[in-house]
C-alpha cells in the first residue's frame, strides 16, 4: 500500500509539472491575428464588418479610432453594420495564450463620383486594371497587386478629373499599395491643380527600410469650388540602395481616388 501511495504521489507530481510546463509554453505563444473583412471598404449607406478566429475560448475586442484594442474595448459579438468611416482595429485574447497582433480594417465614406477622367499618362500594359475609370469606380483593392482594382505605373501618373459642374471639393484621397518585396513603393508626392485654385503639393515620406505589405492613402486638402482638377502623382526615380532591386525603376500602384 505504501509503495502504491508513493508511486501515485510521483505520478500526480509529474502530471502537475507537465501541466505547468504546458501552460507556460502556451503563455509564450501568441494567438493568430483575427481575419477581418467588410462587404465593401467604401460606405454608401452602410457595410457589414466581420471578424473571426477559430479557437475555443477566444474573445475579440475592437476599436473604431485606430487605437490598440484591450479587453476594455468593445467586444466583438458577431458581424455588425457600420455607417461610419474610420480605422477599425481588432485583437484576439485568450486566458492561456498571448494576445494577437492587431488586424486593421479602414473604411471610407463614398465620395463625389467624377463625371469623367482623362489620362495623360498610361499604366503599364500588364497592370491596366479595369480600364481608364479604375481609380474612380468606388471599389477598393486588396493586397494582391494582380487584382484588376489596381493600376500599375513605372513612371509618373497624370490625369484630369471632371465633375460636370462646379462644386465644393473638400479633400481628395489617393489610395496606393506598399509591397517592397514586389518593388512597389509609395509615390514621392501628389500635386493637385486647376484653373480655380493654386497648385497644392504634398510630399510623401520615403521608405528607409523594409516594410510589411500594406494599403495606404494620402489625403490632400482642397477646400475650393471647382469643376475639374489635374492630379499628378510622382513615382520614385529608382529603388534605394538598401533594397535588393537598388537602382531599378520602382512600381507605383494605385486603387481608388476618393473625392469629398
Amino acid at each position: 500500500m505504501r509503495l502504491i501511495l508513493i508511486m501515485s504521489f510521483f505520478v500526480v507530481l509529474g502530471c502537475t509539472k507537465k501541466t505547468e510546463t504546458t501552460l507556460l509554453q502556451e503563455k509564450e505563444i501568441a494567438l493568430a491575428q483575427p481575419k477581418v473583412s467588410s462587404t465593401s471598404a467604401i460606405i454608401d449607406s452602410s457595410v457589414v464588418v466581420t471578424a473571426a478566429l477559430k479557437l475555443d475560448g477566444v474573445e475579440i475586442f475592437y476599436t473604431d479610432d485606430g487605437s490598440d484594442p484591450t479587453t476594455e474595448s468593445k467586444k466583438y459579438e458577431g458581424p455588425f453594420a457600420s455607417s461610419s468611416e474610420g480605422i477599425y482595429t481588432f485583437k484576439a485574447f485568450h486566458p492561456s495564450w498571448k494576445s494577437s497582433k492587431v488586424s486593421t480594417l479602414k473604411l471610407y465614406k463614398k465620395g463625389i463620383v467624377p463625371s469623367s477622367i482623362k489620362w495623360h499618362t498610361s499604366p503599364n500594359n500588364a497592370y491596366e486594371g479595369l480600364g481608364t475609370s479604375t481609380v474612380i469606380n468606388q471599389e477598393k483593392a486588396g493586397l494582391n497587386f494582380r487584382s484588376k482594382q489596381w493600376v500599375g505605373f513605372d513612371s509618373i501618373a497624370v490625369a484630369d478629373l471632371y465633375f460636370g459642374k462646379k462644386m465644393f471639393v473638400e479633400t481628395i484621397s489617393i489610395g496606393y499599395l506598399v509591397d517592397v518585396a514586389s518593388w512597389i513603393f509609395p509615390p514621392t508626392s501628389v500635386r493637385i491643380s486647376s484653373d480655380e485654385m493654386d497648385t497644392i503639393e504634398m510630399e510623401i515620406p520615403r521608405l528607409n527600410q523594409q516594410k510589411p505589405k500594406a494599403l495606404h492613402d494620402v489625403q490632400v486638402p482642397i477646400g475650393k469650388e471647382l469643376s475639374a482638377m489635374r492630379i499628378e502623382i510622382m513615382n520614385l526615380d529608382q529603388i534605394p540602395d538598401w533594397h535588393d532591386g537598388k537602382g531599378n525603376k520602382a512600381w507605383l500602384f494605385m486603387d481608388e481616388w476618393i473625392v469629398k
Side-chain angles (χ1 to χ4, degrees), residues 136-163:
I136 57 169
N137 68 358
Q138 302 299 302
E139 293 286 340
K140 290 291 290 181
L143 289 172
N144 181 4
F145 71 87
R146 298 188 186 280
S147 162
K148 289 297 186 180
Q149 293 298 339
W150 288 111
V151 287
F153 290 79
D154 55 10
S155 62
I156 187 173
V158 182
D160 292 336
L161 289 184
Y162 298 94
F163 301 107

Side-chain angles (χ1 to χ4, degrees), residues 117 132 168 171 173 205 220 255:
I117 181 171
T132 56
F168 185 83
T171 62
S173 176
V220 183
D255 63 344

Side-chain angles (χ1 to χ4, degrees), residues 32-94:
Q33 291 172 261
K35 292 182 179 179
V36 300
S37 62
S38 62
T39 49
S40 174
I42 297 179
I43 302 169
D44 190 346
S45 56
S46 68
V47 298
V48 176
V49 178
T50 303
L53 181 59
K54 293 182 179 179
L55 183 65
D56 289 343
V58 164
E59 292 184 324
I60 298 173
F61 293 84
Y62 71 96
T63 67
D64 57 9
D65 60 2
S67 60
D68 202 2
T70 70
T71 52
E72 301 299 316
S73 303
K74 297 175 185 176
K75 185 177 179 181
Y76 176 78
E77 303 285 0
F80 61 90
S82 175
S83 57
S84 301
E85 68 177 4
I87 301 174
Y88 290 73
T89 54
F90 297 79
K91 195 171 187 176
F93 296 85
H94 190 282

Side-chain angles (χ1 to χ4, degrees), residues 83-154:
S83 57
S84 301
E85 68 177 4
I87 301 174
Y88 290 73
T89 54
F90 297 79
K91 195 171 187 176
F93 296 85
H94 190 282
S96 299
W97 303 77
K98 280 186 175 180
S99 58
S100 71
K101 291 183 178 179
V102 170
S103 296
T104 302
L105 176 69
K106 190 166 185 178
L107 299 180
Y108 303 80
K109 274 285 192 183
K110 183 179 179 180
I112 301 165
V113 181
S115 59
S116 62
I117 181 171
K118 178 182 178 182
W119 285 95
H120 296 279
T121 57
S122 299
N124 184 278
N125 290 336
Y127 306 110
E128 295 179 320
L130 294 169
T132 56
S133 62
T134 303
V135 297
I136 57 169
N137 68 358
Q138 302 299 302
E139 293 286 340
K140 290 291 290 181
L143 289 172
N144 181 4
F145 71 87
R146 298 188 186 280
S147 162
K148 289 297 186 180
Q149 293 298 339
W150 288 111
V151 287
F153 290 79
D154 55 10

